[in-house]
Amino acid sequence: MKAEISPINLRNIFLRFSLLLVLAVIISSCGSAKKSSYFNEVGNNTFASYYEPLEPILQKNDLLSINISSLNAEVTEMFNIANNAGGTQIGGYLIDQDGFIRFPVLGKIEVAGLTKKELREYIRGELISKRLLMEPIVDIRFMNFKVSVLGEVNQPSVFTIPNEKVTLLEALGMAGDMTIFAKRDNVLLISEEDGVKSTKRIDLTSDELFTSPNYYLQPNDIVYVQPNDRKVRNTSNSAQWFSIILGSLSLAVISISTF
C-alpha cells in the first residue's frame, strides 16, 4: 500500500529546506567575513614611524608652483610672473620633455631628477650668488599631485592631493572604501619614475603596510583593487543559482498546495 504524505509533513519538509538554505547563506557569509576586513593580524601593537614620506623626484610633465618672497617686494614680483597667470592660461612651470623649466632671469634650469628640496636650494643659491635678492625664501609645490584609485571601490576616480601627502588608506577612503567584493590581500600599486613603470602587491589584511615605504603614495600612483573570487563566482553563477532556488521553492509550494 502506497504511503501518503500529509500536508503537515510537507510543511515540515518545506520548513526544514528553508532553514537549511538560510543556514547555508549564513555559513557562507561567516566564512568570507575575515577576508572582507582590514588588518586581521593587528592587535594592541605600536609601529615606529621611521618611514617618512619619500621626497618625490621631479619628472617630465610635472607642473610646479615656484614662489619667491623677500624683503624687496618689487624686485621679487618679477620672479613670480608664472604663478600669477590669469584668464585661461595655466600658471606654474611645466617640466618639458628634456627635463627643463625656464625661470625668470636665471633662464633654463634642468630640474628632472631633483627633489623639491634640491631645486629650492639651487634657486635660492643662484638668487643670492648673482645678488638678485637678499635672503630669499623659495617655496615649491606640485600643482598636479594626483593619484588614481580603480577597481572594486565605491567611487573610483583620479584625486588631486593639495597637501602633497596621502597614504594608501586615505586614498581608499577618498574612493569610498573597498566594496565587499574587493580582494584585500592583493592590492596592486602601479608607480612610474622616469618613464619606467613598477608594480607592487600589498596585503591589507596584514600589519606590514604600517612599516612599508608604500604606506605613502607618490605622484601619479595608481591603486587597483581586484575583485575577489566570490564576485567572479557570483557574476557567472548568480542567475543559475537563482533559477535553481526559485524552482525548488516553487515546487515545494506547489506540492503543499496540491496535498
Side-chain angles (χ1 to χ4, degrees):
M1 183 175 179
K2 186 177 181 180
E4 294 185 358
I5 303 177
S6 67
I8 294 178
N9 289 336
L10 282 175
R11 289 190 181 91
N12 290 336
I13 294 173
F14 176 68
L15 179 60
R16 291 175 182 175
F17 174 80
S18 301
L19 291 175
L20 288 173
L21 183 61
V22 172
L23 182 61
V25 172
I26 293 175
I27 292 175
S28 176
S29 300
C30 293
S32 60
K34 187 173 182 180
K35 295 182 179 180
S36 301
S37 61
Y38 296 104
F39 311 120
N40 296 315
E41 301 174 6
V42 176
N44 297 325
N45 299 324
T46 58
F47 301 92
S49 57
Y50 50 82
Y51 277 110
E52 295 295 333
L54 299 178
E55 181 79 14
I57 302 298
L58 302 180
Q59 303 183 53
K60 301 172 184 177
N61 298 318
D62 280 342
L63 185 62
L64 305 176
S65 167
I66 304 178
N67 186 72
I68 310 296
S69 59
S70 74
L71 295 176
N72 193 331
E74 293 183 3
V75 177
T76 303
E77 188 62 28
M78 65 183 296
F79 296 103
N80 295 320
I81 296 176
N83 293 326
N84 299 324
T88 57
Q89 183 179 358
I90 299 176
Y93 296 88
L94 180 66
I95 303 177
D96 64 24
Q97 292 301 310
D98 295 321
F100 290 84
I101 62 171
R102 294 187 178 276
F103 196 78
V105 182
L106 299 184
K108 198 173 181 180
I109 303 175
E110 185 174 7
V111 300
L114 301 178
T115 65
K116 288 193 306 176
K117 180 180 179 180
E118 291 171 338
L119 178 57
R120 181 168 60 247
E121 293 301 320
Y122 173 82
I123 293 177
R124 186 176 185 277
E126 288 292 294
L127 293 175
I128 294 176
S129 65
K130 297 180 184 301
R131 299 185 178 180
L132 298 170
L133 291 173
M134 293 287 292
E135 296 299 325
I137 298 174
V138 182
D139 180 65
I140 302 177
R141 300 181 65 85
F142 284 100
M143 298 180 67
N144 61 343
F145 191 116
K146 62 182 185 296
V147 297
S148 303
V149 185
L150 309 173
E152 281 298 323
V153 291
N154 289 296
Q155 299 171 13
S157 185
V158 178
F159 302 97
T160 300
I161 313 300
N163 62 353
E164 303 180 6
K165 179 181 176 182
V166 63
T167 68
L168 174 58
L169 298 178
E170 288 171 335
L172 290 172
M174 290 187 291
D177 202 2
M178 297 183 183
T179 70
I180 193 66
F181 297 110
K183 196 169 187 179
R184 287 164 168 76
D185 60 352
N186 196 21
V187 175
L188 178 64
L189 176 62
I190 305 173
S191 302
E192 182 174 350
E193 184 174 338
D194 293 330
V196 179
K197 291 183 173 62
S198 62
T199 59
K200 304 177 185 68
R201 298 284 179 173
I202 301 173
D203 183 0
L204 291 183
T205 65
S206 168
D207 60 9
E208 294 179 359
L209 176 65
F210 295 115
T211 55
S212 167
N214 299 320
Y215 184 71
Y216 288 97
L217 298 182
Q218 301 299 305
N220 303 313
D221 275 358
I222 299 174
V223 179
Y224 174 67
V225 182
Q226 292 180 282
N228 57 24
D229 296 337
R230 177 183 171 190
K231 178 165 186 180
V232 175
R233 289 194 302 268
N234 286 355
T235 301
S236 59
N237 298 327
S238 57
Q240 178 182 356
W241 278 107
F242 179 77
S243 299
I244 293 173
I245 294 173
L246 183 61
S248 301
L249 292 175
S250 300
L251 179 61
V253 171
I254 293 174
S255 301
I256 291 176
S257 301
T258 303
F259 285 91

